[in-house]
Amino acid sequence: MRGTRAFVFVTAALAAAVAVGTGAAADGGTARGWGVELTLPDGWAKVQPASQTWSTDPRTMLVIGTDGVRAAESDCQVSAYHVPSDGAVVVVIGWREAVGVSGFLPLSNLKLRRGTFSCFDGRGAVAQVTRRGLDYQVNVMVGDRASADTVAAALDAARSISAAPRHRD
């Protein structure tokens, strides 16, 4: 009986850790990954990035999305996500070294357009920024039936990109 209690406790603790780690219970706050962070709109969660190799450059740094967003098989790095028709996703990719892309597509000009991404039929937007000397591309993809609130939340989240605080132990 004692071993059963320990197993139940460990299983419950592991389930709680997985829920927190995947952002399943996220209501607002921030999501962090690889040195950058985004503000999480209410009801959004951090999403597991699509499969990539360690040598991939640029690399997917952080993905957040509405309920139902998930990684999908694709030859396209940015649009390698299933986006529900009423949902949205923000995908941040970054380069290992500065490549000088900042300024060509500023956050202030972030506007949804069709045809932004070759592997995504819906509306999309893209901006490029530099944070702590590294270049990032912030990508937004929105389903065709996404509400005005969902669209606004996606664009606000993308514009919130910042360098994640450095923790000192």
Side-chain angles (χ1 to χ4, degrees):
M1 186 69 154
R2 189 175 196 180
T4 303
R5 281 189 210 153
F7 175 75
V8 170
F9 176 76
V10 169
T11 302
L14 182 59
V18 169
V20 170
T22 60
D27 280 330
T30 58
R32 294 183 178 133
W34 294 95
V36 294
E37 69 180 15
L38 296 170
T39 300
L40 271 174
D42 286 344
W44 285 48
K46 188 173 179 180
V47 175
Q48 180 68 37
S51 176
Q52 58 189 347
T53 65
W54 180 246
S55 63
T56 301
D57 193 35
R59 180 171 190 76
T60 302
M61 309 304 244
L62 180 60
V63 182
I64 63 171
T66 58
D67 188 39
V69 170
R70 65 182 186 286
E73 283 293 318
S74 176
D75 291 334
C76 299
Q77 180 179 12
V78 171
S79 51
Y81 299 89
H82 166 75
V83 180
S85 63
D86 62 347
V89 65
V90 177
V91 179
V92 179
I93 62 171
W95 287 263
R96 293 179 193 277
E97 297 179 17
V99 293
V101 298
S102 184
F104 293 111
L105 299 167
L107 283 171
S108 58
N109 288 349
L110 201 62
K111 294 180 184 167
L112 291 175
R113 294 178 179 87
R114 288 204 176 278
T116 302
F117 303 107
S118 60
C119 296
F120 181 69
D121 293 332
R123 296 170 291 163
V126 61
Q128 295 169 329
V129 298
T130 300
R131 299 292 184 264
R132 286 198 184 127
L134 295 176
D135 294 322
Y136 299 95
Q137 182 173 301
V138 185
N139 308 279
V140 177
M141 292 174 284
V142 176
D144 286 332
R145 294 189 307 134
S147 69
D149 287 344
T150 298
V151 170
L155 293 172
D156 287 346
R159 290 184 184 113
S160 76
I161 188 170
S162 63
R166 293 182 178 163
H167 296 286
R168 295 199 170 122
D169 295 329

Short mmCIF file of all heavy atoms in Angstrom, two decimals, residues 76-108:
data_model
loop_
_atom_site.label_atom_id
_atom_site.label_comp_id
_atom_site.label_asym_id
_atom_site.label_seq_id
_atom_site.Cartn_x
_atom_site.Cartn_y
_atom_site.Cartn_z
N CYS A 76 8.34 24.03 -44.18
CA CYS A 76 8.47 25.46 -43.88
C CYS A 76 8.63 25.65 -42.38
O CYS A 76 7.79 25.20 -41.61
CB CYS A 76 7.24 26.21 -44.37
SG CYS A 76 7.00 26.08 -46.15
N GLN A 77 9.68 26.32 -41.97
CA GLN A 77 9.98 26.48 -40.55
C GLN A 77 8.93 27.32 -39.83
O GLN A 77 8.42 26.90 -38.79
CB GLN A 77 11.35 27.13 -40.39
CG GLN A 77 11.74 27.33 -38.93
CD GLN A 77 13.11 27.94 -38.79
OE1 GLN A 77 13.71 28.41 -39.75
NE2 GLN A 77 13.62 27.92 -37.57
N VAL A 78 8.60 28.47 -40.33
CA VAL A 78 7.70 29.38 -39.64
C VAL A 78 6.28 28.84 -39.60
O VAL A 78 5.60 28.88 -38.58
CB VAL A 78 7.74 30.78 -40.27
CG1 VAL A 78 6.65 31.67 -39.70
CG2 VAL A 78 9.11 31.41 -40.08
N SER A 79 5.79 28.32 -40.70
CA SER A 79 4.39 27.89 -40.77
C SER A 79 4.23 26.39 -40.52
O SER A 79 3.29 25.77 -41.01
CB SER A 79 3.78 28.30 -42.11
OG SER A 79 4.59 27.87 -43.18
N ALA A 80 5.10 25.82 -39.70
CA ALA A 80 5.02 24.40 -39.36
C ALA A 80 4.08 24.16 -38.18
O ALA A 80 4.39 23.41 -37.26
CB ALA A 80 6.41 23.86 -39.04
N TYR A 81 2.92 24.85 -38.19
CA TYR A 81 1.97 24.75 -37.09
C TYR A 81 0.55 24.67 -37.64
O TYR A 81 0.21 25.35 -38.62
CB TYR A 81 2.10 25.97 -36.15
CG TYR A 81 3.48 26.00 -35.56
CD1 TYR A 81 4.52 26.66 -36.21
CD2 TYR A 81 3.78 25.28 -34.41
CE1 TYR A 81 5.82 26.63 -35.71
CE2 TYR A 81 5.07 25.23 -33.91
CZ TYR A 81 6.08 25.91 -34.56
OH TYR A 81 7.35 25.85 -34.09
N HIS A 82 -0.25 23.85 -36.99
CA HIS A 82 -1.68 23.80 -37.30
C HIS A 82 -2.32 24.96 -36.55
O HIS A 82 -2.17 25.08 -35.33
CB HIS A 82 -2.30 22.48 -36.84
CG HIS A 82 -3.78 22.52 -36.82
ND1 HIS A 82 -4.53 22.48 -37.98
CD2 HIS A 82 -4.66 22.66 -35.80
CE1 HIS A 82 -5.81 22.56 -37.66
NE2 HIS A 82 -5.91 22.68 -36.34
N VAL A 83 -2.99 25.84 -37.28
CA VAL A 83 -3.69 26.98 -36.68
C VAL A 83 -5.18 26.78 -36.90
O VAL A 83 -5.62 26.74 -38.05
CB VAL A 83 -3.23 28.32 -37.31
CG1 VAL A 83 -3.95 29.49 -36.67
CG2 VAL A 83 -1.71 28.48 -37.20
N PRO A 84 -5.96 26.65 -35.83
CA PRO A 84 -7.42 26.50 -36.00
C PRO A 84 -7.99 27.70 -36.74
O PRO A 84 -7.43 28.80 -36.70
CB PRO A 84 -7.94 26.46 -34.56
CG PRO A 84 -6.77 26.10 -33.71
CD PRO A 84 -5.56 26.64 -34.43
N SER A 85 -9.11 27.50 -37.42
CA SER A 85 -9.70 28.59 -38.21
C SER A 85 -10.05 29.81 -37.36
O SER A 85 -10.06 30.92 -37.86
CB SER A 85 -10.93 28.09 -38.96
OG SER A 85 -11.93 27.67 -38.04
N ASP A 86 -10.31 29.61 -36.06
CA ASP A 86 -10.62 30.74 -35.19
C ASP A 86 -9.46 31.07 -34.25
O ASP A 86 -9.62 31.81 -33.28
CB ASP A 86 -11.87 30.46 -34.37
CG ASP A 86 -11.72 29.26 -33.45
OD1 ASP A 86 -10.75 28.48 -33.60
OD2 ASP A 86 -12.59 29.08 -32.56
N GLY A 87 -8.26 30.55 -34.56
CA GLY A 87 -7.12 30.72 -33.67
C GLY A 87 -6.00 31.54 -34.26
O GLY A 87 -6.11 32.10 -35.36
N ALA A 88 -4.89 31.58 -33.53
CA ALA A 88 -3.72 32.34 -33.96
C ALA A 88 -2.48 31.79 -33.29
O ALA A 88 -2.55 31.15 -32.23
CB ALA A 88 -3.89 33.81 -33.62
N VAL A 89 -1.33 32.06 -33.89
CA VAL A 89 -0.03 31.65 -33.35
C VAL A 89 0.99 32.74 -33.60
O VAL A 89 0.90 33.47 -34.60
CB VAL A 89 0.43 30.30 -33.98
CG1 VAL A 89 0.71 30.44 -35.47
CG2 VAL A 89 1.64 29.73 -33.26
N VAL A 90 1.94 32.86 -32.68
CA VAL A 90 3.09 33.75 -32.84
C VAL A 90 4.33 32.87 -32.76
O VAL A 90 4.50 32.13 -31.79
CB VAL A 90 3.14 34.85 -31.76
CG1 VAL A 90 4.39 35.71 -31.92
CG2 VAL A 90 1.88 35.71 -31.79
N VAL A 91 5.17 32.93 -33.78
CA VAL A 91 6.39 32.12 -33.87
C VAL A 91 7.59 33.06 -33.96
O VAL A 91 7.65 33.90 -34.85
CB VAL A 91 6.36 31.21 -35.12
CG1 VAL A 91 7.62 30.37 -35.21
CG2 VAL A 91 5.11 30.33 -35.13
N VAL A 92 8.52 32.90 -33.03
CA VAL A 92 9.74 33.71 -33.04
C VAL A 92 10.90 32.82 -33.45
O VAL A 92 11.13 31.77 -32.86
CB VAL A 92 10.03 34.31 -31.64
CG1 VAL A 92 11.33 35.12 -31.66
CG2 VAL A 92 8.87 35.16 -31.16
N ILE A 93 11.61 33.24 -34.50
CA ILE A 93 12.83 32.54 -34.90
C ILE A 93 14.00 33.49 -34.68
O ILE A 93 13.84 34.72 -34.69
CB ILE A 93 12.78 32.04 -36.36
CG1 ILE A 93 12.65 33.19 -37.36
CG2 ILE A 93 11.64 31.04 -36.55
CD1 ILE A 93 12.82 32.76 -38.81
N GLY A 94 15.18 32.92 -34.46
CA GLY A 94 16.35 33.74 -34.22
C GLY A 94 17.59 33.13 -34.81
O GLY A 94 17.68 31.91 -34.98
N TRP A 95 18.54 33.99 -35.11
CA TRP A 95 19.82 33.56 -35.68
C TRP A 95 20.87 33.47 -34.60
O TRP A 95 20.83 34.23 -33.62
CB TRP A 95 20.26 34.54 -36.77
CG TRP A 95 19.46 34.42 -38.02
CD1 TRP A 95 19.80 33.72 -39.14
CD2 TRP A 95 18.18 35.01 -38.30
NE1 TRP A 95 18.81 33.83 -40.09
CE2 TRP A 95 17.80 34.63 -39.61
CE3 TRP A 95 17.31 35.82 -37.58
CZ2 TRP A 95 16.62 35.02 -40.20
CZ3 TRP A 95 16.12 36.22 -38.16
CH2 TRP A 95 15.79 35.81 -39.46
N ARG A 96 21.83 32.59 -34.78
CA ARG A 96 22.90 32.42 -33.81
C ARG A 96 23.79 33.66 -33.71
O ARG A 96 24.34 33.96 -32.67
CB ARG A 96 23.76 31.21 -34.17
CG ARG A 96 23.02 29.90 -34.04
CD ARG A 96 23.94 28.74 -34.43
NE ARG A 96 23.19 27.51 -34.60
CZ ARG A 96 22.83 26.71 -33.63
NH1 ARG A 96 23.14 27.01 -32.40
NH2 ARG A 96 22.15 25.61 -33.88
N GLU A 97 23.96 34.33 -34.82
CA GLU A 97 24.77 35.55 -34.86
C GLU A 97 23.97 36.63 -35.56
O GLU A 97 23.08 36.35 -36.36
CB GLU A 97 26.06 35.29 -35.63
CG GLU A 97 26.95 34.26 -34.96
CD GLU A 97 28.22 33.99 -35.75
OE1 GLU A 97 28.58 34.82 -36.62
OE2 GLU A 97 28.85 32.97 -35.49
N ALA A 98 24.29 37.88 -35.28
CA ALA A 98 23.59 38.99 -35.92
C ALA A 98 23.75 38.90 -37.43
O ALA A 98 24.84 38.63 -37.93
CB ALA A 98 24.15 40.32 -35.42
N VAL A 99 22.65 39.09 -38.15
CA VAL A 99 22.68 39.03 -39.61
C VAL A 99 22.23 40.35 -40.24
O VAL A 99 22.15 40.47 -41.45
CB VAL A 99 21.83 37.85 -40.16
CG1 VAL A 99 22.45 36.53 -39.77
CG2 VAL A 99 20.39 37.95 -39.70
N GLY A 100 21.92 41.33 -39.40
CA GLY A 100 21.59 42.66 -39.90
C GLY A 100 20.22 42.79 -40.52
O GLY A 100 20.04 43.60 -41.43
N VAL A 101 19.22 42.04 -40.04
CA VAL A 101 17.90 42.11 -40.65
C VAL A 101 17.00 43.14 -39.99
O VAL A 101 15.97 43.52 -40.54
CB VAL A 101 17.18 40.74 -40.63
CG1 VAL A 101 17.95 39.72 -41.43
CG2 VAL A 101 16.94 40.27 -39.22
N SER A 102 17.36 43.61 -38.82
CA SER A 102 16.50 44.54 -38.09
C SER A 102 16.31 45.84 -38.86
O SER A 102 17.22 46.35 -39.49
CB SER A 102 17.11 44.85 -36.72
OG SER A 102 16.25 45.67 -35.99
N GLY A 103 15.11 46.36 -38.83
CA GLY A 103 14.82 47.63 -39.48
C GLY A 103 14.13 47.50 -40.82
O GLY A 103 13.46 48.42 -41.27
N PHE A 104 14.28 46.36 -41.50
CA PHE A 104 13.63 46.19 -42.79
C PHE A 104 12.13 45.96 -42.63
O PHE A 104 11.33 46.40 -43.44
CB PHE A 104 14.25 45.02 -43.57
CG PHE A 104 15.66 45.28 -44.00
CD1 PHE A 104 16.70 44.58 -43.43
CD2 PHE A 104 15.95 46.24 -44.95
CE1 PHE A 104 18.01 44.82 -43.82
CE2 PHE A 104 17.25 46.49 -45.34
CZ PHE A 104 18.29 45.78 -44.77
N LEU A 105 11.74 45.25 -41.57
CA LEU A 105 10.34 44.96 -41.29
C LEU A 105 10.07 45.29 -39.82
O LEU A 105 10.05 44.40 -38.97
CB LEU A 105 10.02 43.48 -41.58
CG LEU A 105 10.22 43.03 -43.02
CD1 LEU A 105 10.19 41.51 -43.11
CD2 LEU A 105 9.15 43.64 -43.91
N PRO A 106 9.88 46.57 -39.48
CA PRO A 106 9.74 46.96 -38.07
C PRO A 106 8.41 46.51 -37.46
O PRO A 106 7.41 46.32 -38.15
CB PRO A 106 9.83 48.49 -38.12
CG PRO A 106 9.41 48.85 -39.50
CD PRO A 106 9.82 47.71 -40.39
N LEU A 107 8.42 46.35 -36.13
CA LEU A 107 7.21 45.97 -35.40
C LEU A 107 6.07 46.97 -35.63
O LEU A 107 4.91 46.59 -35.66
CB LEU A 107 7.50 45.88 -33.90
CG LEU A 107 8.24 44.64 -33.43
CD1 LEU A 107 8.64 44.79 -31.97
CD2 LEU A 107 7.39 43.40 -33.61
N SER A 108 6.42 48.22 -35.82
CA SER A 108 5.39 49.25 -36.01
C SER A 108 4.59 49.04 -37.30
O SER A 108 3.48 49.54 -37.43
CB SER A 108 6.01 50.65 -36.02
OG SER A 108 6.98 50.74 -37.06
#
